[in-house]
Protein backbone atom coordinates (compact mmCIF):
# COMPACT_ATOMS: atom_id res chain seq x y z
CA UNK A 1 0.00 0.00 0.00
CA UNK A 2 1.49 3.32 -1.09
CA UNK A 3 0.64 6.39 0.97
CA UNK A 4 2.21 9.55 -0.41
CA UNK A 5 4.98 7.51 -1.96
CA UNK A 6 5.71 5.49 1.18
CA UNK A 7 5.27 1.73 0.97
CA UNK A 8 3.31 0.51 3.99
CA UNK A 9 2.89 -3.20 4.72
CA UNK A 10 0.46 -3.19 7.65
CA UNK A 11 -3.07 -2.06 6.81
CA UNK A 12 -3.90 -1.20 10.42
CA UNK A 13 -3.32 2.37 11.59
CA UNK A 14 -3.52 2.70 15.36
CA UNK A 15 -4.46 5.65 17.55
CA UNK A 16 -2.60 6.32 20.81
CA UNK A 17 -5.24 7.95 23.05
CA UNK A 18 -7.20 6.63 26.06
CA UNK A 19 -4.93 3.69 26.96
CA UNK A 20 -4.76 2.87 30.68
CA UNK A 21 -0.96 3.27 30.75
CA UNK A 22 2.03 3.89 28.48
CA UNK A 23 3.10 0.28 28.99
CA UNK A 24 -0.26 -1.00 27.74
CA UNK A 25 -0.06 1.32 24.74
CA UNK A 26 3.43 0.07 23.88
CA UNK A 27 2.30 -3.55 24.07
CA UNK A 28 -0.76 -2.83 21.90
CA UNK A 29 1.46 -1.21 19.26
CA UNK A 30 3.74 -4.25 19.23
CA UNK A 31 0.83 -6.71 19.08
CA UNK A 32 -0.89 -4.85 16.26
CA UNK A 33 2.09 -4.91 13.93
CA UNK A 34 1.13 -1.40 12.84
CA UNK A 35 3.60 0.84 11.04
CA UNK A 36 1.63 4.08 11.51
CA UNK A 37 0.41 5.54 14.79
CA UNK A 38 -1.66 8.69 15.14
CA UNK A 39 -1.19 11.26 17.86
CA UNK A 40 -2.90 14.53 18.67
CA UNK A 41 -0.84 17.63 19.26
CA UNK A 42 -2.92 18.12 22.41
CA UNK A 43 -1.53 14.83 23.69
CA UNK A 44 1.92 16.41 23.81
CA UNK A 45 2.38 18.42 26.99
CA UNK A 46 5.26 20.54 28.20
CA UNK A 47 5.58 18.56 31.43
CA UNK A 48 7.46 15.31 32.00
CA UNK A 49 4.47 13.14 31.13
CA UNK A 50 4.35 14.61 27.66
CA UNK A 51 8.07 14.02 27.14
CA UNK A 52 7.74 10.40 28.29
CA UNK A 53 4.88 9.86 25.85
CA UNK A 54 6.91 11.32 22.97
CA UNK A 55 9.83 9.06 23.90
CA UNK A 56 7.51 6.05 23.75
CA UNK A 57 6.36 7.04 20.26
CA UNK A 58 9.91 7.57 19.06
CA UNK A 59 10.97 4.13 20.24
CA UNK A 60 7.94 2.40 18.72
CA UNK A 61 9.58 2.20 15.31
CA UNK A 62 6.37 3.48 13.71
CA UNK A 63 5.76 6.43 11.42
CA UNK A 64 3.98 9.24 13.28
CA UNK A 65 0.76 10.62 11.79
CA UNK A 66 -0.13 13.75 13.80
CA UNK A 67 -3.78 14.77 13.77
CA UNK A 68 -5.75 17.94 14.32
CA UNK A 69 -8.25 16.31 16.67
CA UNK A 70 -10.54 18.73 18.45
CA UNK A 71 -10.29 21.51 15.87
CA UNK A 72 -13.61 23.12 14.94
CA UNK A 73 -12.53 25.52 12.21
CA UNK A 74 -10.26 25.49 9.20
CA UNK A 75 -8.05 28.19 10.73
CA UNK A 76 -7.60 26.23 13.96
CA UNK A 77 -6.79 23.03 12.05
CA UNK A 78 -4.25 24.81 9.83
CA UNK A 79 -2.45 26.33 12.82
CA UNK A 80 -2.42 22.99 14.64
CA UNK A 81 -1.02 21.23 11.57
CA UNK A 82 1.76 23.80 11.27
CA UNK A 83 2.67 23.30 14.93
CA UNK A 84 2.58 19.51 14.51
CA UNK A 85 4.98 19.68 11.57
CA UNK A 86 7.50 21.52 13.72
CA UNK A 87 7.06 19.24 16.72
CA UNK A 88 7.01 15.86 14.98
CA UNK A 89 9.19 16.67 11.99
CA UNK A 90 6.81 15.27 9.38
CA UNK A 91 4.72 16.62 6.53
CA UNK A 92 2.07 13.97 7.18
CA UNK A 93 -1.09 15.25 8.87
CA UNK A 94 -4.43 13.64 9.62
CA UNK A 95 -6.80 16.53 9.06
CA UNK A 96 -9.88 16.79 11.27
CA UNK A 97 -12.28 19.74 11.23
CA UNK A 98 -15.20 18.87 13.48
CA UNK A 99 -18.56 20.39 12.60
CA UNK A 100 -20.95 18.80 15.10
CA UNK A 101 -20.21 18.44 18.79
CA UNK A 102 -22.45 15.40 19.39
CA UNK A 103 -21.68 13.21 16.38
CA UNK A 104 -18.20 14.67 15.78
CA UNK A 105 -19.15 14.70 12.11
CA UNK A 106 -16.58 16.49 9.94
CA UNK A 107 -17.28 20.02 8.76
CA UNK A 108 -16.71 19.15 5.11
CA UNK A 109 -16.61 22.79 4.01
CA UNK A 110 -13.90 23.68 6.50
CA UNK A 111 -12.15 20.40 5.73
CA UNK A 112 -11.79 21.18 2.02
CA UNK A 113 -10.70 24.74 2.82
CA UNK A 114 -8.03 23.59 5.25
CA UNK A 115 -6.86 20.79 2.93
CA UNK A 116 -6.34 23.23 0.08
CA UNK A 117 -4.19 25.50 2.24
CA UNK A 118 -2.14 22.70 3.79
CA UNK A 119 -1.45 20.97 0.48
CA UNK A 120 -0.19 24.30 -0.89
CA UNK A 121 2.15 24.49 2.12
CA UNK A 122 3.64 21.08 1.33
CA UNK A 123 1.64 18.87 3.70
CA UNK A 124 0.63 15.30 2.88
CA UNK A 125 -2.99 15.44 4.02
CA UNK A 126 -5.02 12.49 5.31
CA UNK A 127 -8.54 13.98 5.56
CA UNK A 128 -11.09 12.52 8.01
CA UNK A 129 -14.26 12.90 5.98
CA UNK A 130 -17.76 11.56 5.41
CA UNK A 131 -18.66 8.94 2.81
CA UNK A 132 -19.95 11.61 0.40
CA UNK A 133 -18.64 11.25 -3.16
CA UNK A 134 -18.78 14.96 -3.96
CA UNK A 135 -16.77 15.84 -0.87
CA UNK A 136 -14.27 13.16 -1.83
CA UNK A 137 -13.88 14.71 -5.27
CA UNK A 138 -13.36 18.18 -3.77
CA UNK A 139 -10.65 16.83 -1.45
CA UNK A 140 -8.83 15.17 -4.32
CA UNK A 141 -9.09 18.40 -6.33
CA UNK A 142 -7.55 20.19 -3.34
CA UNK A 143 -4.53 17.90 -3.64
CA UNK A 144 -5.25 15.09 -1.17
CA UNK A 145 -4.05 11.67 -2.32
CA UNK A 146 -5.83 9.68 0.40
CA UNK A 147 -9.42 9.71 1.69
CA UNK A 148 -10.44 8.61 5.18
CA UNK A 149 -14.22 8.14 5.28
CA UNK A 150 -15.88 7.44 8.60
CA UNK A 151 -17.55 4.13 9.33
CA UNK A 152 -19.60 5.61 12.20
CA UNK A 153 -19.16 8.46 14.69
CA UNK A 154 -15.79 8.59 16.47
CA UNK A 155 -15.61 6.28 19.47
CA UNK A 156 -19.12 4.87 18.95
CA UNK A 157 -18.09 1.32 18.07
CA UNK A 158 -21.15 1.04 15.84
CA UNK A 159 -19.26 -0.51 12.94
CA UNK A 160 -20.09 0.42 9.36
CA UNK A 161 -23.39 2.32 9.40
CA UNK A 162 -23.53 2.74 5.64
CA UNK A 163 -21.60 -0.02 3.86
CA UNK A 164 -23.36 0.80 0.57
CA UNK A 165 -21.84 4.29 0.63
CA UNK A 166 -18.37 2.87 1.27
CA UNK A 167 -18.87 0.40 -1.57
CA UNK A 168 -19.83 3.32 -3.82
CA UNK A 169 -16.70 5.21 -2.78
CA UNK A 170 -14.56 2.23 -3.69
CA UNK A 171 -16.15 2.07 -7.14
CA UNK A 172 -15.96 5.84 -7.67
CA UNK A 173 -12.34 6.21 -6.52
CA UNK A 174 -10.72 2.97 -7.72
CA UNK A 175 -7.16 4.31 -7.61
CA UNK A 176 -7.33 6.34 -4.39
CA UNK A 177 -6.29 4.78 -1.07
CA UNK A 178 -9.38 4.62 1.15
CA UNK A 179 -8.89 4.22 4.90
CA UNK A 180 -11.96 3.70 7.07
CA UNK A 181 -11.53 5.95 10.08
CA UNK A 182 -13.81 5.97 13.14
CA UNK A 183 -16.62 3.75 14.36
CA UNK A 184 -14.89 0.37 14.26
CA UNK A 185 -15.85 -1.56 17.39
CA UNK A 186 -15.06 -5.22 16.74
CA UNK A 187 -12.72 -7.23 14.53
CA UNK A 188 -15.73 -8.23 12.41
CA UNK A 189 -16.26 -4.53 11.59
CA UNK A 190 -12.67 -4.21 10.43
CA UNK A 191 -12.96 -7.36 8.33
CA UNK A 192 -16.15 -6.05 6.73
CA UNK A 193 -14.44 -2.80 5.76
CA UNK A 194 -11.63 -4.70 4.08
CA UNK A 195 -14.06 -7.06 2.33
CA UNK A 196 -15.63 -3.95 0.75
CA UNK A 197 -12.27 -3.17 -0.81
CA UNK A 198 -10.97 -0.54 1.59
CA UNK A 199 -7.20 -0.24 1.70
CA UNK A 200 -6.77 0.09 5.45
CA UNK A 201 -8.50 0.78 8.76
CA UNK A 202 -7.64 3.37 11.40
CA UNK A 203 -8.95 2.69 14.89
CA UNK A 204 -8.28 3.70 18.48
CA UNK A 205 -11.06 3.35 21.03
CA UNK A 206 -11.89 -0.28 20.21
CA UNK A 207 -8.37 -1.28 21.20
CA UNK A 208 -7.68 1.25 23.97
CA UNK A 209 -10.92 0.49 25.85
CA UNK A 210 -10.83 -3.30 25.45
CA UNK A 211 -10.28 -5.46 28.51
CA UNK A 212 -7.01 -6.59 26.97
CA UNK A 213 -5.83 -3.92 24.49
CA UNK A 214 -2.86 -5.93 23.23
CA UNK A 215 -4.99 -8.96 22.49
CA UNK A 216 -7.63 -6.81 20.78
CA UNK A 217 -4.94 -5.10 18.69
CA UNK A 218 -3.77 -8.49 17.48
CA UNK A 219 -7.35 -9.56 16.74
CA UNK A 220 -7.95 -6.40 14.71
CA UNK A 221 -4.77 -6.94 12.70
CA UNK A 222 -5.74 -10.52 11.90
CA UNK A 223 -9.28 -9.49 10.95
CA UNK A 224 -7.92 -6.85 8.58
CA UNK A 225 -5.64 -9.40 6.94
CA UNK A 226 -8.54 -11.85 6.62
CA UNK A 227 -10.82 -9.22 5.11
CA UNK A 228 -8.16 -8.20 2.62
CA UNK A 229 -7.63 -11.82 1.54
CA UNK A 230 -11.40 -12.32 1.25
CA UNK A 231 -11.76 -9.29 -1.01
CA UNK A 232 -8.91 -10.48 -3.21
CA UNK A 233 -10.55 -13.94 -3.44
CA UNK A 234 -13.71 -12.42 -4.99
CA UNK A 235 -16.33 -13.76 -2.55
CA UNK A 236 -19.68 -15.07 -3.76
CA UNK A 237 -22.67 -12.73 -3.80
CA UNK A 238 -25.72 -13.40 -1.61
CA UNK A 239 -28.55 -15.35 -3.25
CA UNK A 240 -32.30 -15.04 -2.90
CA UNK A 241 -32.86 -18.78 -2.48
CA UNK A 242 -31.09 -21.95 -1.50
CA UNK A 243 -28.76 -23.63 -3.98
CA UNK A 244 -27.70 -27.20 -3.19
CA UNK A 245 -24.00 -27.62 -2.66
CA UNK A 246 -24.22 -31.33 -3.47
CA UNK A 247 -24.94 -32.17 -7.14
CA UNK A 248 -28.47 -33.45 -7.73
CA UNK A 249 -27.59 -35.29 -10.92
CA UNK A 250 -25.92 -38.65 -10.60
CA UNK A 251 -27.38 -39.56 -7.22
CA UNK A 252 -28.20 -43.19 -6.68
CA UNK A 253 -31.87 -44.20 -6.92
CA UNK A 254 -32.99 -46.56 -4.19
CA UNK A 255 -35.88 -48.88 -5.05
Amino acid sequence: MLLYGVDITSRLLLGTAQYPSPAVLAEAIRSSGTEIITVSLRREAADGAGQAFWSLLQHSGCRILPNTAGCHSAAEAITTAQMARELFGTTWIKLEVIGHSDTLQPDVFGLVEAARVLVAEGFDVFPYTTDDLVVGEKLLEAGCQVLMPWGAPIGSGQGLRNPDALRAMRAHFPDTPLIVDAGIGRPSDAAQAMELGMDAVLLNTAVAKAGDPAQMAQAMAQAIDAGRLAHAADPMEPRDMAVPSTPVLGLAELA
Side-chain angles (χ1 to χ4, degrees), residues 26-232:
E27 182 59 27
I29 292 173
R30 286 192 294 269
S31 297
S32 71
T34 186
E35 298 169 54
I36 300 174
I37 51 179
T38 67
V39 59
S40 170
L41 184 63
R42 288 167 170 76
R43 185 66 176 82
E44 278 295 309
D47 58 16
Q51 293 301 317
F53 178 71
W54 176 226
S55 178
L56 184 157
L57 299 183
Q58 287 178 308
H59 288 88
S60 69
C62 298
R63 178 177 288 268
I64 305 297
L65 176 60
N67 68 48
T68 62
C71 293
H72 290 262
S73 70
E76 185 181 7
I78 291 168
T79 299
T80 302
Q82 293 166 338
M83 295 171 63
R85 179 165 58 181
E86 291 188 19
L87 178 62
F88 297 107
T90 178
T91 57
W92 281 23
I93 191 73
K94 178 190 169 188
L95 180 61
E96 295 184 25
V97 182
I98 301 302
H100 193 275
S101 58
D102 290 334
T103 64
L104 302 182
Q105 179 171 328
D107 172 358
V108 296
F109 305 100
L111 182 67
V112 172
E113 177 186 348
R116 185 174 293 111
V117 172
L118 292 174
V119 168
E121 293 185 1
F123 282 89
D124 301 316
V125 179
F126 294 70
Y128 164 62
T129 182
T130 63
D131 49 28
D132 187 282
L133 299 181
V134 176
V135 176
E137 288 179 344
K138 296 296 184 183
L139 288 168
L140 295 183
E141 290 172 4
C144 298
Q145 298 179 22
V146 177
L147 296 176
M148 303 182 72
W150 67 347
I154 294 173
S156 68
Q158 295 178 4
L160 307 185
R161 296 179 67 180
N162 195 348
D164 288 339
L166 293 175
R167 187 179 291 108
M169 288 195 77
R170 179 72 288 166
H172 195 70
F173 303 111
D175 301 320
T176 300
L178 299 180
I179 303 173
V180 170
D181 178 15
I184 299 296
R186 298 175 180 271
S188 55
D189 301 331
Q192 182 186 14
M194 299 304 292
E195 288 174 3
L196 291 174
M198 301 296 106
D199 294 284
V201 171
L202 192 159
L203 52 87
N204 187 164
T205 309
V207 170
K209 292 301 184 181
D212 187 332
Q215 187 170 330
M216 183 58 75
Q218 183 179 4
M220 288 291 187
Q222 292 176 352
I224 288 170
D225 288 342
R228 179 70 179 178
L229 286 172
H231 176 73

